[in-house]
């Protein structure tokens, strides 16, 4: 079949697009480069071996032409690396199991200790309960014994108070080897009683009150006898000091019966010149007398006036305290007593005023 011949003078026909492209660009020697690489023993990854993943425009690294971001696939562990990780995990697991076992052992240990402590605590509670019960029983017994001793002391001392008005009985009491100890205990008992008052008014007919009143009455009766006064001044001055102190501790109107008995005992002691000197030289004696005169009880004031009169009628004693006596004398109070409805108090106050006037005339 003859080929097509272009007529003379006509332009040659344009070649097809494929032929133009082949004529314009020589073929790529791809296979030749791959053969050369195999001959050199080097294996290279083909072009574009990385995986492509679509991304939104504006995030990650992008291709200039397509606008897509691409990320390389994560690297996979090999078998040796996997074994190393598995070994490490196994060791950690074994260590955790050991720690858990140790914690279990510690828990059992502390649980055992807790049970032991709880048992000890329960035993101690029972022991304390038993001791508390014994203590309560002992307190009850002690209270009963104290009540019994108080009742016995009140009865015995009341009987002794009654018979101590006899001179022979007083001599018999002082002749024994327990007389000094008896008067020491008497002072301690009265002091303890006054301290226990603490402003409270106790029952006048109680055994405790009767016990203390009987002791004070015995001292008063002993001091009423010459040998008794001598014994108290020479051997029992501590008792006299205690009586003076207690008279200052008792408040006005408080325990007046005990005050009267103690003032009577001091008045009896003041009959002895040595006793009067000792009493009058006690610190605060004159202020104590004036303070006692403010007591609302008439009998207390009566015995204070008698004690003051003993001081005034003894020139040797009065001369030592005359200045203090005159400067602090509650004259208005004594004048009021001289007009009292109580006959004995009125008489004592008038006699004291007469003695004071006599002293002023003599001076």
């Amino acid at each position: 079949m003859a080929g097509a011949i272009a007529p003379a003078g006509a332009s040659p026909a344009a070649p097809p697009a494929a032929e133009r492209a082949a004529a314009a660009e020589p073929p790529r020697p791809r296979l030749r480069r791959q053969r050369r690489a195999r001959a050199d023993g080097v294996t290279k990854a083909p072009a574009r071996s990385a995986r492509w993943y679509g991304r939104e425009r504006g995030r990650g690294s992008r291709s200039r032409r397509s606008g897509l971001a691409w990320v390389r696939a994560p690297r996979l562990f090999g078998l040796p690396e996997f074994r190393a990780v598995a070994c490490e995990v196994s060791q950690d697991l074994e260590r955790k199991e050991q720690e858990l076992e140790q914690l279990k052992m510690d828990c059992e240990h502390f649980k055992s200790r807790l049970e032991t402590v709880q048992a000890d605590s329960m035993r101690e509670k029972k022991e304390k309960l038993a001791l508390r019960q014994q203590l309560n029983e002992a307190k009850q017994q002690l209270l009963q014994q104290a009540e019994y001793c108080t009742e016995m002391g009140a009865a015995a001392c009341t009987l002794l108070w009654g018979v101590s008005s006899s001179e022979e009985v007083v001599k018999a009491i002082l002749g024994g080897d327990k007389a000094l100890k008896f008067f020491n205990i008497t002072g301690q008992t009265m002091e303890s009683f006054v301290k226990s008052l603490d402003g409270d008014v106790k029952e006048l007919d109680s055994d405790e009150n009767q016990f203390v009143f009987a002791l004070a009455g015995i001292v008063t009766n002993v001091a009423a006898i010459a040998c008794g006064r001598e014994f108290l001044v020479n051997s029992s001055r501590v008792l006299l000091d205690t009586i003076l102190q207690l008279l200052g501790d008792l408040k006005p109107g408080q325990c007046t019966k005990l005050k009267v008995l103690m003032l009577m005992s001091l008045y009896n002691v003041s009959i002895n010149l040595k006793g009067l000197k000792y009493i009058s030289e006690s610190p605060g004696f004159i202020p104590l007398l004036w303070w006692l005169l403010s007591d609302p009880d008439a009998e207390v004031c009566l015995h204070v006036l008698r004690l003051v009169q003993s001081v005034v009628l003894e020139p040797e004693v009065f001369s030592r305290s005359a200045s203090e006596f005159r400067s602090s004398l509650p004259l208005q109070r004594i004048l009021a007593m001289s007009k009292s409805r109580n006959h004995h108090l009125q008489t004592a106050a008038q006699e004291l005023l007469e003695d004071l006037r006599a002293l002023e005339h003599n001076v």
Side-chain angles (χ1 to χ4, degrees):
M1 187 175 182
I5 300 173
S11 299
E19 292 180 2
R20 289 198 303 271
E25 182 181 357
R28 296 179 182 179
R30 181 183 300 174
L31 296 177
R32 190 175 299 174
R33 285 198 301 270
Q34 291 180 355
R35 293 192 187 97
R36 189 181 299 117
R38 291 193 186 95
D40 294 339
V42 178
T43 303
K44 294 185 178 180
R48 298 177 183 263
S49 61
R51 298 182 182 177
W52 290 76
Y53 298 91
R55 299 283 184 180
E56 295 178 359
R57 185 178 296 274
R59 294 180 58 186
S61 120
R62 296 181 177 82
S63 172
R64 294 180 179 177
R65 296 180 178 178
S66 63
L68 298 178
W70 59 276
V71 180
R72 290 185 178 275
R75 179 173 172 269
L76 298 178
F77 289 107
L79 184 58
E81 295 174 340
F82 179 77
R83 288 179 177 176
V85 173
C87 183
E88 184 178 355
V89 172
S90 177
Q91 291 177 356
D92 291 343
L93 183 59
E94 184 178 355
R95 185 169 57 255
K96 295 295 183 182
E97 290 178 352
Q98 292 177 356
E99 293 177 357
L100 181 60
E101 188 66 25
Q102 183 64 36
L103 290 175
K104 288 182 179 180
M105 293 174 62
D106 294 342
C107 182
E108 291 295 330
H109 173 67
F110 288 125
K111 184 178 179 181
S112 177
R113 288 186 58 184
L114 176 61
E115 292 176 353
T116 302
V117 171
Q118 288 177 342
D120 294 341
S121 176
M122 186 62 65
R123 185 178 64 256
E124 290 178 358
K125 286 182 179 179
K126 292 181 179 179
E127 292 177 356
K128 288 181 179 180
L129 183 61
L131 291 175
R132 188 178 291 108
Q133 186 176 359
Q134 293 177 5
L135 180 61
N136 292 334
E137 293 177 356
K139 287 182 178 180
Q140 190 66 24
Q141 293 177 1
L142 183 61
L143 181 60
Q144 293 176 356
Q145 291 177 0
E147 292 177 354
Y148 171 78
C149 291
T150 302
E151 293 176 1
M152 178 61 71
C157 289
T158 301
L159 293 175
L160 185 59
W161 183 12
V163 298
S164 61
S165 58
S166 171
E167 184 175 357
E168 289 76 10
V169 173
V170 173
K171 289 180 179 180
I173 293 174
L174 299 178
D177 57 350
K178 299 295 183 180
L180 182 59
K181 187 175 182 179
F182 172 78
F183 288 113
N184 289 336
I185 294 175
T186 298
Q188 295 172 4
T189 304
M190 290 193 299
E191 184 177 8
S192 177
F193 173 77
V194 172
K195 288 182 178 180
S196 67
L197 292 177
D198 194 23
D200 298 334
V201 180
K202 296 191 175 183
E203 298 179 4
L204 295 179
D205 57 347
S206 66
D207 292 327
E208 185 178 1
N209 284 11
Q210 186 60 32
F211 182 29
V212 175
F213 296 160
L215 290 173
I218 294 170
V219 175
T220 301
N221 287 348
V222 170
I225 309 299
C227 61
R229 291 192 291 271
E230 194 71 23
F231 178 86
L232 292 175
V233 173
N234 295 329
S235 303
S236 189
R237 292 187 175 185
V238 176
L239 176 60
L240 299 179
D241 294 337
T242 302
I243 291 174
L244 290 170
Q245 176 189 345
L246 297 181
L247 285 172
D249 292 340
L250 289 171
K251 300 176 182 179
Q254 185 183 29
C255 209
T256 56
K257 187 174 182 179
L258 181 61
K259 280 184 181 180
V260 169
L261 290 170
M262 290 191 295
L263 286 169
M264 290 176 65
S265 64
L266 290 179
Y267 174 77
N268 290 340
V269 171
S270 68
I271 297 174
N272 183 293
L273 180 59
K274 188 188 297 184
L276 180 60
K277 289 180 179 180
Y278 181 79
I279 294 172
S280 62
E281 292 174 358
S282 297
F285 176 68
I286 300 299
L288 174 64
L289 293 178
W290 304 151
W291 185 73
L292 289 172
L293 278 179
S294 63
D295 197 281
D297 187 79
E299 193 172 2
V300 172
C301 295
L302 171 63
H303 292 285
V304 173
L305 291 176
R306 287 179 177 176
L307 186 57
V308 173
Q309 194 173 17
S310 294
V311 177
V312 171
L313 293 178
E314 187 59 49
E316 182 181 354
V317 175
F318 182 74
S319 61
R320 297 178 181 179
S321 57
S323 59
E324 181 183 7
F325 192 93
R326 291 191 178 97
S327 62
S328 59
L329 178 68
L331 184 59
Q332 296 299 323
R333 175 67 173 163
I334 298 175
L335 288 173
M337 292 178 183
S338 66
K339 301 176 183 180
S340 174
R341 295 180 180 180
N342 188 306
H343 176 69
H344 298 289
L345 181 60
Q346 180 183 7
T347 303
Q350 291 174 355
E351 290 178 356
L352 178 60
L353 290 173
E354 292 176 2
D355 295 335
L356 291 174
R357 293 191 193 98
L359 285 175
E360 291 295 334
H361 289 305
N362 293 334
V363 174

